[in-house]
Amino acid sequence: MRLLVLGGTGFVGGATVAEGVRRGWAVTVFNRGLHGATPEGVHRLRGDRTAPGGLAALADGEWDLVVDTWDGAPRAARDAARALVDRVGRYVYVSSGSVYAPPVAAGVGEDAPVVDAEPDADEGGYPTNKAGAERAVRETFGERALIARAGLILGPGEDIGRLPWWLTRIARGGDVLAPGPVDLPVQYVDVRDLAGWMLDLGAAGPGGTFNAVSRPGHATMGELLDACVAATDADARLRWTDPEPILAAGVEPWNDLPIWVPAGHAYRWLQERGVERAYAAGLTCRPAAETVADTWAWLRKVGTVPPRAGRPQRAPVGLDPDREAALLAATGAGDA
């Protein structure tokens, strides 16, 4: 198989390149050549897809499959798709569940309405950029377009820092504010499972649109944080705390306490999406303990969460230590 990855040095792109190499495929990446490295044997084409003439390096060559992780202006996805339509078998676009138009119901499926977005837009917010790029790819590739609406993505290489924040916090030890309930279901996908599934389906299956994330409750907050304690071998004590006092203190789920979205919250649907279509198409998800342990091993090797390759940096995630200590004291969760 001949695989082209647009980007290829970031989180999802890097995992996709690594999986293609592992399979023995002929892998090419297209990017500006400013960030990251590629495995030995990967062919690197240079260009800036946002600049006039920036796709010139793609003028020659044919590929069986292209994977595109772009989250900028939809026009760039449209231009890339048009440049490749006659020389690529199938176009896989890594989108996001953020494209669904609010209010979003729990169990949302792929046929639910998405935000209004134009395929030739020059700018927009994250949801509209992803939705517009979806349209651009579909309009160009038709049934040969595979849209993977990823959910929360975890695993080695994570460049947002959600699971790394929990691992680093727990590694410090002591009383850790653990947002309850302990059995709160968590829905996410390991980046390696996402990459492998996209390549499997892109190589052999039909196109279509899929919620590419685990089943709701693939893990719980308790299982995830227990795995962090085990992986770090830390002297940490998880102090499970009800959501009400945490929310009353102004703590933001998902950002201040990464991954956690309590029941009843407006964004709870982020971890309750319908995934029957993706599982029927072969998606499988490894155990949470494996994702956590491998992420910790990677984080210890690299030292810190890497910057996002070629994209604007996002605000850091995670609760300030002083705020955590104050909450532990106020709720009595830190009492021995």
Side-chain angles (χ1 to χ4, degrees):
M1 290 290 291
R2 298 162 299 174
L3 171 66
L4 171 64
V5 180
L6 303 183
T9 58
F11 182 29
V12 177
T16 303
V17 168
E19 177 61 17
V21 170
R22 187 192 69 80
R23 295 176 181 215
W25 291 7
V27 181
T28 300
V29 298
F30 170 81
N31 53 49
R32 294 181 300 169
L34 301 178
H35 302 273
T38 53
E40 184 177 352
V42 172
H43 182 48
R44 194 166 192 171
L45 300 175
R46 296 179 186 251
D48 182 351
R49 64 194 298 173
T50 65
L55 297 173
L58 297 176
D60 299 314
E62 294 184 352
W63 295 272
D64 301 298
L65 181 65
V66 59
V67 175
D68 188 358
T69 63
W70 182 250
D71 64 1
R75 180 183 292 271
R78 181 205 64 180
D79 292 347
R82 288 179 175 178
L84 294 167
V85 66
D86 294 326
R87 291 177 292 109
V88 167
R90 184 168 284 111
Y91 201 114
V92 179
Y93 179 64
V94 184
S95 187
S96 167
S98 296
V99 301
Y100 291 113
V104 185
V108 62
E110 293 86 350
D111 296 328
V114 301
V115 296
D116 290 333
E118 296 300 323
D120 57 354
D122 284 322
E123 60 182 17
Y126 183 76
T128 54
N129 281 344
K130 284 294 191 182
E134 283 190 10
R135 280 192 59 189
V137 171
R138 281 199 208 91
E139 289 178 4
T140 305
F141 271 78
E143 293 182 355
R144 295 186 292 142
L146 171 60
I147 308 299
R149 288 178 180 160
L152 171 64
I153 308 173
L154 303 178
E158 187 197 335
D159 56 6
I160 301 299
R162 294 186 176 101
L163 181 54
W165 183 83
W166 278 114
L167 284 161
T168 302
R169 169 61 194 94
I170 287 172
R172 292 205 312 266
D175 291 326
V176 177
L177 180 68
V182 66
D183 60 353
L184 180 72
V186 173
Q187 184 181 41
Y188 68 93
V189 64
D190 186 296
V191 68
R192 297 163 295 180
D193 297 330
L194 175 63
W197 174 79
M198 289 192 301
L199 295 190
D200 285 344
L201 196 57
T209 301
F210 301 83
N211 284 337
V213 66
S214 73
R215 290 188 174 95
H218 177 70
T220 63
M221 281 302 298
E223 290 167 344
L224 204 65
L225 297 193
D226 282 345
C228 290
V229 174
T232 58
D233 194 26
D235 182 20
R237 297 171 295 280
L238 300 177
R239 300 305 191 186
W240 290 99
T241 305
D242 291 337
E244 290 77 15
I246 298 175
L247 297 172
V251 172
E252 293 187 14
W254 194 258
N255 291 322
D256 289 336
L257 290 173
I259 303 173
W260 178 66
V261 183
H265 192 274
Y267 295 131
R268 179 59 200 166
W269 66 269
L270 287 169
Q271 297 192 347
E272 294 182 350
R273 271 168 272 187
V275 294
E276 292 80 5
R277 189 178 295 179
Y279 271 77
L283 178 64
T284 58
C285 295
R286 70 192 67 204
E290 183 177 338
T291 296
V292 170
D294 290 350
T295 301
W296 179 239
W298 160 78
L299 189 60
R300 293 183 70 188
K301 181 178 179 180
V302 301
T304 188
V305 174
R308 299 179 68 218
R311 304 300 303 145
Q313 299 307 303
R314 297 184 180 181
V317 298
L319 193 63
D320 178 83
D322 290 340
R323 288 186 71 195
E324 181 192 14
L327 268 167
L328 285 166
T331 60
D335 296 341

